[in-house]
Amino acid sequence: MTSHAIRYIRVTPIAFRDPPLLNAAGIHEPWALRSIIEIETDSGRVGINETYGDQSMLDVLAKTAPALIGLSPWDLNAMETRVQALVKPAGLTSEFLGEQISLAPGTHVSKNAAKVSSAFEVAMLDLQGQLAHAPVVDLLGGAARDAVPFSAYLFFKYAEHIGQPYRPDEFGEGLSPAQMVAQARRMIDGYGFKSIKLKAGALPPEQEVATMLALAKAFAGAPLRIDPNANWTVATSLKVVEQLQGVLEYYEDPAPGLDGMAAVAAKLKDLGDVPLATNMVVTDYAEFADNARRGCPVRIVLSDHHYWGGLRTTQQLSRLCQTFDMGLSMHSNSHLGISLTAMTHLAASVPHLAYACDTHYPWQDDEIVQGGRLQFEHGSLRVPRTPGLGVCIDPEALARLHDNYLRCGIRNRDDLGQMRKYEPTFTGKQPRY
Amino acid sequence: MTSHAIRYIRVTPIAFRDPPLLNAAGIHEPWALRSIIEIETDSGRVGINETYGDQSMLDVLAKTAPALIGLSPWDLNAMETRVQALVKPAGLTSEFLGEQISLAPGTHVSKNAAKVSSAFEVAMLDLQGQLAHAPVVDLLGGAARDAVPFSAYLFFKYAEHIGQPYRPDEFGEGLSPAQMVAQARRMIDGYGFKSIKLKAGALPPEQEVATMLALAKAFAGAPLRIDPNANWTVATSLKVVEQLQGVLEYYEDPAPGLDGMAAVAAKLKDLGDVPLATNMVVTDYAEFADNARRGCPVRIVLSDHHYWGGLRTTQQLSRLCQTFDMGLSMHSNSHLGISLTAMTHLAASVPHLAYACDTHYPWQDDEIVQGGRLQFEHGSLRVPRTPGLGVCIDPEALARLHDNYLRCGIRNRDDLGQMRKYEPTFTGKQPRY
């Protein structure tokens, strides 16, 4: 009988161009990091995945990968047990990160076990699907929808990076309301998105409110969201939501911490009762329980399989949300097509995920998968029906993107440090407004 | 390409001998009902399962089965959606059941959608495993343990049924502490169980306490549990637990309702702090949330995939329990080897399920699966490694057990009515003590 035991795991860090996008922590660097996982079986099959590419992540992937040799691709429980045994839950490998912890939970070392489990789980599910002749979505219970809607994810941005490392992107400057409406128009024309999300917390709140009102006018009827990444005080959060009454689908992470969110929630009933959403204060199960014990001030969780522990774990998060009458949406970081495909399989398999998912995909112009950039139809991606994930690595693209990594000099995401190149006195202190 | 679409679903009610076991609601009738599910694909494969056999269950199975024709065995989400559309969550098909609702949540019509989904899910997972050449446990994330421990499930009982419908069972009368120690000895000698559970709430509490103390003495070191099925007042519950200090692994459903359990829990800290367990007040996700909102007076849930919605749903329940620092055990009703095998796959795939599972299996002497009665080793069942569930139906046994069903005259479980044959004035009013 053919052995499908895991015989080799390769982790390749890559880097790809990322525009100068503004956020609460600072600004994106010119290169975004990811890593590509390839898990090979004795039978010569290869399962793939894409995840974080920061040094601390590469360290824990390197530490854990050898422990999986000999496992069957079906042994997800055993994989998790081995990963947990090797990766301490608390941050032992790095002092790095400070303010960025909450902005990008995926970069925090406290999530290492969940992140590593997720990294391997998706590649093992890709192998399972190949062995079972079934798409990953079927391994997750089958498609509740044939296509998964994503949202137009708008960022305030500069026209080009400091130092001009490469040709500017096509979106141009995005600072004024008119520029942001143009950005949305360009993105919606290109992809067909029906929902719009604005990454806020970067400019003075009145400018961001004006942008939202301009978007609401220009795209009447489109669900709109704003996400200042906890860069507002409770008072500012309430002032903004009052100005945006009738405009918001949900209100994502206005104020810092569960205390801040609860303080905002306590006043929202009289301000249109828009639900609070988060990817900052409910980022793991312990935080989920905290929010539930406090009566669910946060009513929507933005899931992200990359740091919640994987696709199956995210389905369990969906059950938790249903149990406590909470909604479920999906968060993203800068990523390429393998992550996007995994997100699509997952979202298709979770009936309760009723919001258009976030994706940074339109901000990238490169790809790692064979066939190049994935094609959206009316703002949605069709769920692959071929076995496994349904995408393969383009070896030339992998070599090129790995070469980017070797040359770019970035080893850990640092939006704060990058912003200081523009504004040396920028502190990153939050909440800023 | 071969089509594996579902082309036919057969539901066969069966009945098998069941001893005169006493419980809070009354006494077991001489025949226990189940139904056997067979789902056949266009390609001629058959996936099987075993579930409840009461008339109301047969009604909803008959109503929903045709809606699944054409689905792929992978389409679990679509199956659930179709079942939910056809089965109203509230009890619309029967006024039957009264006091038995809480004793046996699997018989309650409010669980119909979850029960029907579970009935079909397991058979579809059996098909998936056959298609993928993987045991069901692998479809659930792989085996966290190679063998699943079960407990010796003791019942107070009479020597034989009223009317003597067939030859008495081998366990004999079980009423005095000495008889119950002998019952435990017989069961442990035969199966190797390491844990003991006493079904209580049937005799005066002092007699049940004396039995527990006799068991604790005879089987020193064996984890012991008692389950009076909410047949005790809060005062009685507290008096009993005081008398059993140092004896109990957990304390299952002493008092009625979440209010009763919470009142007991409030006093337990000073009485040995034994955790409360339940299969009566946390029987679905809404009840789980109620318990969590009240600070988790119940600390262990006895899961049962037959009424929680299936194997995957029970894994989600495990995540819920972990999230709220609760334990997980497993409940059973009278069942045969298909249910026992599904329970074994499930328990093996749930690392958090750390208690020996309940099973009524030693009380049955018949079987539906090829090869006859399943063999325990040291109180545990090995997890099958063959594709799917790893058990098949014995056609002759199915015919014989269906014939039992046709002849036995029982169409709905009625422990109360049966007890009235012994004691015409028996009211079944709870709590009795």
Side-chain angles (χ1 to χ4, degrees), chain A residues 119-165:
Chain A
F120 295 135
E121 184 227 39
V122 175
M124 289 167 77
L125 286 169
D126 185 24
L127 284 167
Q128 289 183 17
Q130 295 175 42
L131 296 175
H133 305 288
V136 165
V137 68
D138 280 4
L139 301 174
L140 301 173
R145 45 186 72 86
D146 295 332
V148 171
F150 290 84
S151 62
Y153 198 162
L154 311 185
F155 281 81
F156 295 107
K157 67 183 290 290
Y158 297 148
E160 55 186 331
H161 285 288
I162 194 166
Q164 299 168 306

Short mmCIF file of all heavy atoms in Angstrom, two decimals, chain A residues 119-165:
data_model
loop_
_atom_site.label_atom_id
_atom_site.label_comp_id
_atom_site.label_asym_id
_atom_site.label_seq_id
_atom_site.Cartn_x
_atom_site.Cartn_y
_atom_site.Cartn_z
N ALA A 119 -0.80 27.00 9.72
CA ALA A 119 0.09 26.94 8.55
C ALA A 119 0.18 25.51 8.03
O ALA A 119 0.11 25.27 6.82
CB ALA A 119 1.48 27.46 8.93
N PHE A 120 0.32 24.56 8.94
CA PHE A 120 0.44 23.16 8.52
C PHE A 120 -0.93 22.55 8.18
O PHE A 120 -1.04 21.73 7.28
CB PHE A 120 1.14 22.34 9.61
CG PHE A 120 2.57 22.74 9.85
CD1 PHE A 120 3.06 22.88 11.14
CD2 PHE A 120 3.43 22.98 8.79
CE1 PHE A 120 4.38 23.25 11.37
CE2 PHE A 120 4.76 23.34 9.00
CZ PHE A 120 5.24 23.48 10.29
N GLU A 121 -1.95 22.95 8.93
CA GLU A 121 -3.28 22.36 8.73
C GLU A 121 -3.76 22.55 7.29
O GLU A 121 -4.25 21.62 6.65
CB GLU A 121 -4.30 22.97 9.69
CG GLU A 121 -5.69 22.32 9.60
CD GLU A 121 -6.83 23.30 9.53
OE1 GLU A 121 -6.70 24.34 8.86
OE2 GLU A 121 -7.86 23.03 10.17
N VAL A 122 -3.62 23.76 6.77
CA VAL A 122 -4.14 24.02 5.42
C VAL A 122 -3.39 23.18 4.39
O VAL A 122 -4.00 22.59 3.49
CB VAL A 122 -4.06 25.52 5.09
CG1 VAL A 122 -4.48 25.77 3.64
CG2 VAL A 122 -4.94 26.33 6.04
N ALA A 123 -2.07 23.07 4.55
CA ALA A 123 -1.29 22.25 3.61
C ALA A 123 -1.69 20.78 3.74
O ALA A 123 -1.74 20.04 2.74
CB ALA A 123 0.20 22.43 3.85
N MET A 124 -1.98 20.33 4.97
CA MET A 124 -2.41 18.94 5.16
C MET A 124 -3.81 18.73 4.59
O MET A 124 -4.11 17.67 4.02
CB MET A 124 -2.35 18.58 6.65
CG MET A 124 -0.90 18.45 7.16
SD MET A 124 -0.76 18.38 8.99
CE MET A 124 -1.27 16.68 9.30
N LEU A 125 -4.68 19.73 4.71
CA LEU A 125 -6.01 19.63 4.10
C LEU A 125 -5.89 19.59 2.57
O LEU A 125 -6.66 18.90 1.90
CB LEU A 125 -6.89 20.81 4.53
CG LEU A 125 -7.43 20.75 5.96
CD1 LEU A 125 -8.05 22.08 6.36
CD2 LEU A 125 -8.46 19.62 6.12
N ASP A 126 -4.91 20.34 2.03
CA ASP A 126 -4.67 20.29 0.58
C ASP A 126 -4.31 18.86 0.19
O ASP A 126 -4.83 18.32 -0.80
CB ASP A 126 -3.56 21.27 0.22
CG ASP A 126 -3.32 21.38 -1.28
OD1 ASP A 126 -4.25 21.09 -2.07
OD2 ASP A 126 -2.20 21.76 -1.67
N LEU A 127 -3.45 18.22 0.99
CA LEU A 127 -3.10 16.82 0.73
C LEU A 127 -4.31 15.90 0.90
O LEU A 127 -4.55 15.01 0.07
CB LEU A 127 -1.98 16.36 1.68
CG LEU A 127 -0.58 16.86 1.36
CD1 LEU A 127 0.37 16.61 2.52
CD2 LEU A 127 -0.06 16.20 0.08
N GLN A 128 -5.07 16.09 1.95
CA GLN A 128 -6.27 15.26 2.17
C GLN A 128 -7.20 15.33 0.97
O GLN A 128 -7.75 14.33 0.51
CB GLN A 128 -7.04 15.74 3.41
CG GLN A 128 -6.37 15.45 4.73
CD GLN A 128 -7.22 15.89 5.92
OE1 GLN A 128 -8.42 16.11 5.78
NE2 GLN A 128 -6.61 16.00 7.08
N GLY A 129 -7.40 16.55 0.48
CA GLY A 129 -8.29 16.72 -0.66
C GLY A 129 -7.77 15.99 -1.89
O GLY A 129 -8.54 15.39 -2.65
N GLN A 130 -6.45 16.03 -2.09
CA GLN A 130 -5.87 15.30 -3.22
C GLN A 130 -6.08 13.80 -3.06
O GLN A 130 -6.44 13.09 -4.01
CB GLN A 130 -4.38 15.62 -3.33
CG GLN A 130 -4.08 17.07 -3.68
CD GLN A 130 -2.58 17.36 -3.65
OE1 GLN A 130 -1.77 16.58 -4.11
NE2 GLN A 130 -2.20 18.51 -3.08
N LEU A 131 -5.90 13.31 -1.82
CA LEU A 131 -6.06 11.87 -1.57
C LEU A 131 -7.53 11.45 -1.71
O LEU A 131 -7.83 10.36 -2.19
CB LEU A 131 -5.57 11.51 -0.17
CG LEU A 131 -4.07 11.71 0.09
CD1 LEU A 131 -3.74 11.44 1.55
CD2 LEU A 131 -3.26 10.80 -0.83
N ALA A 132 -8.43 12.33 -1.29
CA ALA A 132 -9.87 11.99 -1.31
C ALA A 132 -10.54 12.43 -2.60
O ALA A 132 -11.74 12.21 -2.77
CB ALA A 132 -10.56 12.64 -0.12
N HIS A 133 -9.80 13.06 -3.51
CA HIS A 133 -10.37 13.61 -4.74
C HIS A 133 -11.52 14.56 -4.41
O HIS A 133 -12.58 14.52 -5.04
CB HIS A 133 -10.86 12.49 -5.66
CG HIS A 133 -9.79 11.50 -5.97
ND1 HIS A 133 -8.73 11.78 -6.79
CD2 HIS A 133 -9.60 10.24 -5.53
CE1 HIS A 133 -7.93 10.73 -6.86
NE2 HIS A 133 -8.43 9.79 -6.10
N ALA A 134 -11.31 15.40 -3.42
CA ALA A 134 -12.35 16.33 -2.98
C ALA A 134 -11.72 17.70 -2.74
O ALA A 134 -10.60 17.80 -2.23
CB ALA A 134 -12.99 15.83 -1.68
N PRO A 135 -12.41 18.77 -3.10
CA PRO A 135 -11.91 20.10 -2.78
C PRO A 135 -11.91 20.32 -1.27
O PRO A 135 -12.69 19.69 -0.55
CB PRO A 135 -12.89 21.05 -3.47
CG PRO A 135 -14.13 20.25 -3.66
CD PRO A 135 -13.70 18.82 -3.81
N VAL A 136 -11.06 21.21 -0.80
CA VAL A 136 -10.96 21.46 0.65
C VAL A 136 -12.31 21.83 1.22
O VAL A 136 -12.67 21.42 2.33
CB VAL A 136 -9.89 22.54 0.93
CG1 VAL A 136 -10.03 23.07 2.35
CG2 VAL A 136 -8.49 21.95 0.73
N VAL A 137 -13.09 22.60 0.48
CA VAL A 137 -14.41 23.00 1.00
C VAL A 137 -15.25 21.78 1.36
O VAL A 137 -16.02 21.81 2.33
CB VAL A 137 -15.15 23.91 0.00
CG1 VAL A 137 -15.54 23.16 -1.27
CG2 VAL A 137 -16.37 24.56 0.63
N ASP A 138 -15.10 20.70 0.62
CA ASP A 138 -15.88 19.49 0.92
C ASP A 138 -15.39 18.84 2.21
O ASP A 138 -16.19 18.27 2.97
CB ASP A 138 -15.81 18.50 -0.24
CG ASP A 138 -16.77 18.86 -1.36
OD1 ASP A 138 -17.43 19.92 -1.26
OD2 ASP A 138 -16.86 18.09 -2.33
N LEU A 139 -14.11 18.91 2.46
CA LEU A 139 -13.58 18.37 3.72
C LEU A 139 -14.09 19.17 4.91
O LEU A 139 -14.04 18.71 6.05
CB LEU A 139 -12.06 18.39 3.71
CG LEU A 139 -11.39 17.61 2.58
CD1 LEU A 139 -9.89 17.85 2.59
CD2 LEU A 139 -11.68 16.11 2.71
N LEU A 140 -14.57 20.37 4.64
CA LEU A 140 -15.07 21.25 5.69
C LEU A 140 -16.60 21.21 5.79
O LEU A 140 -17.20 22.04 6.46
CB LEU A 140 -14.60 22.69 5.43
CG LEU A 140 -13.08 22.90 5.37
CD1 LEU A 140 -12.76 24.33 4.94
CD2 LEU A 140 -12.42 22.58 6.71
N GLY A 141 -17.22 20.27 5.10
CA GLY A 141 -18.68 20.16 5.20
C GLY A 141 -19.40 20.56 3.93
O GLY A 141 -20.64 20.55 3.89
N GLY A 142 -18.65 20.94 2.90
CA GLY A 142 -19.30 21.28 1.65
C GLY A 142 -19.64 22.77 1.54
O GLY A 142 -19.69 23.49 2.53
N ALA A 143 -19.84 23.21 0.32
CA ALA A 143 -20.04 24.64 0.05
C ALA A 143 -21.45 25.08 0.43
O ALA A 143 -22.42 24.57 -0.11
CB ALA A 143 -19.76 24.93 -1.42
N ALA A 144 -21.53 26.02 1.35
CA ALA A 144 -22.81 26.65 1.67
C ALA A 144 -23.13 27.73 0.64
O ALA A 144 -24.26 28.21 0.56
CB ALA A 144 -22.78 27.24 3.07
N ARG A 145 -22.12 28.15 -0.10
CA ARG A 145 -22.29 29.10 -1.21
C ARG A 145 -21.26 28.76 -2.28
O ARG A 145 -20.18 28.28 -1.97
CB ARG A 145 -22.11 30.55 -0.72
CG ARG A 145 -20.93 30.77 0.19
CD ARG A 145 -20.86 32.18 0.77
NE ARG A 145 -21.86 32.44 1.79
CZ ARG A 145 -21.69 32.16 3.10
NH1 ARG A 145 -20.56 31.62 3.51
NH2 ARG A 145 -22.64 32.41 3.96
N ASP A 146 -21.61 29.01 -3.55
CA ASP A 146 -20.71 28.66 -4.65
C ASP A 146 -19.62 29.68 -4.85
O ASP A 146 -18.57 29.38 -5.43
CB ASP A 146 -21.50 28.54 -5.96
CG ASP A 146 -22.50 27.41 -5.91
OD1 ASP A 146 -22.23 26.43 -5.18
OD2 ASP A 146 -23.53 27.50 -6.59
N ALA A 147 -19.88 30.91 -4.42
CA ALA A 147 -18.89 31.98 -4.58
C ALA A 147 -18.87 32.80 -3.29
O ALA A 147 -19.89 32.92 -2.60
CB ALA A 147 -19.26 32.87 -5.77
N VAL A 148 -17.71 33.35 -2.98
CA VAL A 148 -17.53 34.07 -1.72
C VAL A 148 -17.32 35.56 -2.00
O VAL A 148 -16.36 35.92 -2.69
CB VAL A 148 -16.33 33.50 -0.94
CG1 VAL A 148 -16.00 34.37 0.27
CG2 VAL A 148 -16.61 32.06 -0.53
N PRO A 149 -18.20 36.41 -1.49
CA PRO A 149 -18.04 37.85 -1.72
C PRO A 149 -16.95 38.45 -0.83
O PRO A 149 -16.86 38.13 0.35
CB PRO A 149 -19.42 38.42 -1.35
CG PRO A 149 -20.03 37.43 -0.42
CD PRO A 149 -19.44 36.08 -0.75
N PHE A 150 -16.17 39.33 -1.43
CA PHE A 150 -15.16 40.11 -0.70
C PHE A 150 -15.53 41.58 -0.77
O PHE A 150 -16.39 41.99 -1.54
CB PHE A 150 -13.77 39.85 -1.28
CG PHE A 150 -13.25 38.46 -0.99
CD1 PHE A 150 -13.61 37.38 -1.80
CD2 PHE A 150 -12.42 38.22 0.10
CE1 PHE A 150 -13.16 36.09 -1.52
CE2 PHE A 150 -11.96 36.93 0.38
CZ PHE A 150 -12.33 35.87 -0.42
N SER A 151 -14.87 42.38 0.09
CA SER A 151 -15.18 43.82 0.13
C SER A 151 -14.04 44.64 -0.48
O SER A 151 -12.89 44.19 -0.53
CB SER A 151 -15.41 44.26 1.58
OG SER A 151 -14.23 44.05 2.35
N ALA A 152 -14.38 45.81 -0.93
CA ALA A 152 -13.37 46.78 -1.40
C ALA A 152 -12.71 47.37 -0.16
O ALA A 152 -13.37 48.06 0.62
CB ALA A 152 -14.02 47.87 -2.23
N TYR A 153 -11.43 47.08 0.02
CA TYR A 153 -10.72 47.45 1.25
C TYR A 153 -9.89 48.70 0.95
O TYR A 153 -8.80 48.60 0.40
CB TYR A 153 -9.84 46.28 1.67
CG TYR A 153 -9.36 46.29 3.11
CD1 TYR A 153 -8.88 45.11 3.68
CD2 TYR A 153 -9.36 47.44 3.89
CE1 TYR A 153 -8.42 45.08 4.98
CE2 TYR A 153 -8.91 47.41 5.20
CZ TYR A 153 -8.44 46.23 5.73
OH TYR A 153 -7.97 46.21 7.02
N LEU A 154 -10.42 49.85 1.33
CA LEU A 154 -9.78 51.13 1.01
C LEU A 154 -8.78 51.54 2.07
O LEU A 154 -9.00 51.34 3.27
CB LEU A 154 -10.84 52.22 0.87
CG LEU A 154 -12.05 51.92 -0.01
CD1 LEU A 154 -12.93 53.17 -0.11
CD2 LEU A 154 -11.61 51.46 -1.40
N PHE A 155 -7.70 52.15 1.62
CA PHE A 155 -6.68 52.69 2.53
C PHE A 155 -6.36 54.13 2.14
O PHE A 155 -6.20 54.43 0.96
CB PHE A 155 -5.36 51.90 2.43
CG PHE A 155 -5.35 50.59 3.16
CD1 PHE A 155 -5.94 49.46 2.61
CD2 PHE A 155 -4.74 50.47 4.41
CE1 PHE A 155 -5.91 48.25 3.29
CE2 PHE A 155 -4.71 49.26 5.08
CZ PHE A 155 -5.30 48.15 4.53
N PHE A 156 -6.22 54.98 3.14
CA PHE A 156 -5.52 56.24 2.89
C PHE A 156 -4.09 55.88 2.52
O PHE A 156 -3.51 54.96 3.11
CB PHE A 156 -5.56 57.13 4.14
CG PHE A 156 -6.98 57.58 4.49
CD1 PHE A 156 -7.63 57.04 5.58
CD2 PHE A 156 -7.62 58.52 3.70
CE1 PHE A 156 -8.93 57.43 5.89
CE2 PHE A 156 -8.93 58.93 4.01
CZ PHE A 156 -9.58 58.38 5.11
N LYS A 157 -3.53 56.62 1.57
CA LYS A 157 -2.20 56.23 1.10
C LYS A 157 -1.48 57.38 0.44
O LYS A 157 -2.09 58.35 -0.01
CB LYS A 157 -2.29 55.04 0.15
CG LYS A 157 -2.98 55.36 -1.19
CD LYS A 157 -3.10 54.12 -2.08
CE LYS A 157 -1.79 53.64 -2.62
NZ LYS A 157 -1.20 54.54 -3.64
N TYR A 158 -0.18 57.26 0.39
CA TYR A 158 0.63 58.19 -0.37
C TYR A 158 0.73 57.69 -1.80
O TYR A 158 0.43 56.52 -2.09
CB TYR A 158 2.03 58.32 0.25
CG TYR A 158 2.00 58.90 1.65
CD1 TYR A 158 2.95 58.50 2.59
CD2 TYR A 158 1.05 59.84 2.03
CE1 TYR A 158 2.96 59.03 3.87
CE2 TYR A 158 1.03 60.38 3.32
CZ TYR A 158 1.97 59.96 4.23
OH TYR A 158 1.97 60.48 5.50
N ALA A 159 1.17 58.56 -2.67
CA ALA A 159 1.28 58.17 -4.08
C ALA A 159 2.41 57.17 -4.29
O ALA A 159 2.32 56.28 -5.14
CB ALA A 159 1.51 59.41 -4.96
N GLU A 160 3.48 57.33 -3.50
CA GLU A 160 4.58 56.36 -3.64
C GLU A 160 5.38 56.29 -2.36
O GLU A 160 5.28 57.15 -1.48
CB GLU A 160 5.48 56.70 -4.82
CG GLU A 160 6.05 58.10 -4.80
CD GLU A 160 6.81 58.42 -6.09
OE1 GLU A 160 7.36 57.48 -6.70
OE2 GLU A 160 6.87 59.59 -6.47
N HIS A 161 6.15 55.23 -2.25
CA HIS A 161 6.98 55.02 -1.06
C HIS A 161 8.12 56.04 -0.99
O HIS A 161 8.61 56.50 -2.02
CB HIS A 161 7.62 53.62 -1.09
CG HIS A 161 6.67 52.52 -0.77
ND1 HIS A 161 6.19 52.28 0.50
CD2 HIS A 161 6.12 51.55 -1.58
CE1 HIS A 161 5.38 51.23 0.48
NE2 HIS A 161 5.32 50.77 -0.77
N ILE A 162 8.54 56.34 0.21
CA ILE A 162 9.74 57.15 0.39
C ILE A 162 10.92 56.39 -0.21
O ILE A 162 11.02 55.17 -0.09
CB ILE A 162 9.94 57.45 1.90
CG1 ILE A 162 10.97 58.56 2.09
CG2 ILE A 162 10.33 56.20 2.69
CD1 ILE A 162 10.95 59.13 3.52
N GLY A 163 11.77 57.11 -0.94
CA GLY A 163 12.93 56.47 -1.55
C GLY A 163 12.63 55.80 -2.88
O GLY A 163 13.53 55.30 -3.54
N GLN A 164 11.37 55.80 -3.24
CA GLN A 164 10.94 55.27 -4.55
C GLN A 164 11.63 53.95 -4.93
O GLN A 164 12.38 53.89 -5.90
CB GLN A 164 11.21 56.32 -5.64
CG GLN A 164 10.42 57.59 -5.38
CD GLN A 164 10.88 58.76 -6.25
OE1 GLN A 164 12.07 59.09 -6.27
NE2 GLN A 164 9.94 59.35 -6.96
N PRO A 165 11.36 52.89 -4.17
CA PRO A 165 12.04 51.61 -4.43
C PRO A 165 11.64 50.98 -5.75
O PRO A 165 12.36 50.14 -6.29
CB PRO A 165 11.61 50.74 -3.26
CG PRO A 165 10.29 51.33 -2.82
CD PRO A 165 10.41 52.80 -3.05
#
